[in-house]
Amino acid sequence: MTPLATVNSEYIKLTTTRSPYWCAAVVVALSLGISVLIGAVLSSTPDTGLGIADYLLGLNQFGVIVLMIMAVLAVTSEYRFGTIRTTFTATPRRRRVLIAKAVVFGGLAVVLSAVLAVISLGVVKALAGSSSNFSFGDADALRQIWGTPIWALLCVIVGLGVGALIRHTAGAVVIILVWMLVAESILAVLPKVGPEIGPFLPFRNGSRFLTSTASSPDYHWNAYVSLAYFAVFAAVVFVAAIAVVERRDA
């Protein structure tokens, strides 16, 4: 099967299964729901101390987690139902399958998060007015609009990689959630050790790109390098998944 045909096959899987629709609906609900709440709070209490990154909390924190779970399901559901054997029979070069999944599911994450970033900021602006303290032409606002899709894409690539490495939905989802939400948070605040290893934790670097505009004494680089650092991490996970998938029985 040609690369284009493989991508088309993954697109058909995306559009004919329910889980991506449910995941997308949850992302939309979280993004817009939290933006509405923030806008309502700002309209009544302008001095909240919230920044523009907080206005997209529903999308770039909670929504991205759902997109990662969607990416995990894109791989593990095929192993669960045995359809991965048919997929690999049709496409013997297995790396093409994972790359095609990254193109299709990553593309969905980019488009969905880009649209929701604009709409979510628009909702906050409409509800809070001048209390929102930003305009769409601001550098910080523009960085949120184009940076959030990149952050979502990289997280989806990590999700695909972990799903391919673990092959079990529950295990892969637990690893991602514990790693992203628990392990890195605990490691970063450990006495003595935390300040040393905190700046090198991948998810903290990725999210830092959206939440920080300046260099921090705790890190060894600026926010843009943090994004590049997370991109390298995502690539390593994905390449490792390709290597394992090509050598392991389906």
Side-chain angles (χ1 to χ4, degrees):
M1 188 179 291
T2 65
L4 184 59
T6 305
V7 171
N8 186 57
S9 174
E10 294 302 324
Y11 175 75
I12 293 173
K13 294 175 187 176
L14 169 68
T15 56
T16 55
T17 54
R18 293 181 180 180
S19 59
Y21 291 100
W22 281 108
C23 289
V26 171
V27 173
V28 171
L30 286 170
S31 302
L32 299 184
I34 293 179
S35 292
V36 167
L37 290 174
I38 291 175
V41 170
L42 286 173
S43 64
S44 59
T45 312
D47 190 15
T48 60
L50 296 177
I52 190 169
D54 300 310
Y55 303 161
L56 295 179
L57 179 66
L59 175 60
N60 59 32
Q61 293 295 325
F62 302 112
V64 164
I65 292 173
V66 177
L67 292 174
M68 292 180 70
I69 293 174
M70 179 188 70
V72 168
L73 290 171
V75 179
T76 58
S77 59
E78 289 211 57
Y79 281 100
R80 177 185 177 189
F81 295 108
T83 57
I84 195 68
R85 296 185 181 89
T86 304
T87 299
F88 287 156
T89 299
T91 310
R93 295 184 179 180
R94 298 181 177 184
R95 68 179 62 189
R96 286 186 180 176
V97 174
L98 289 184
I99 293 173
K101 288 183 183 293
V103 171
V104 172
F105 287 88
L108 171 62
V110 168
V111 172
L112 183 62
S113 58
V115 172
L116 285 176
V118 174
I119 295 176
S120 297
L121 289 177
V123 167
V124 174
K125 190 71 174 176
L127 293 175
S130 60
S131 299
S132 60
N133 294 321
F134 82 93
S135 67
F136 282 95
D138 294 341
D140 288 345
L142 292 174
R143 186 168 72 159
Q144 295 295 323
I145 292 172
W146 67 261
T148 298
I150 294 177
W151 161 240
L153 170 63
L154 295 175
C155 286
V156 164
I157 290 174
V158 173
L160 290 170
V162 173
L165 289 169
I166 305 301
R167 303 201 299 183
H168 297 286
T169 302
V173 170
V174 167
I175 287 175
I176 285 176
L177 294 181
V178 171
W179 183 359
M180 185 178 184
L181 302 178
V182 180
E184 290 202 0
S185 298
I186 293 175
L187 290 173
V189 298
L190 287 176
K192 297 182 180 180
V193 179
E196 298 296 327
I197 64 176
F200 297 97
L201 297 174
F203 283 105
R204 288 177 65 86
N205 273 275
S207 62
R208 176 176 180 254
F209 174 72
L210 297 174
T211 58
S212 175
T213 58
S215 299
S216 168
D218 297 331
Y219 286 79
H220 308 287
W221 41 70
N222 62 32
Y224 286 89
V225 179
S226 286
L227 180 64
Y229 181 93
F230 183 66
V232 171
F233 165 77
V236 169
V237 173
F238 192 70
V239 170
I242 290 175
V244 170
V245 165
E246 289 188 334
R247 288 167 173 77
R248 188 167 56 184
D249 293 337

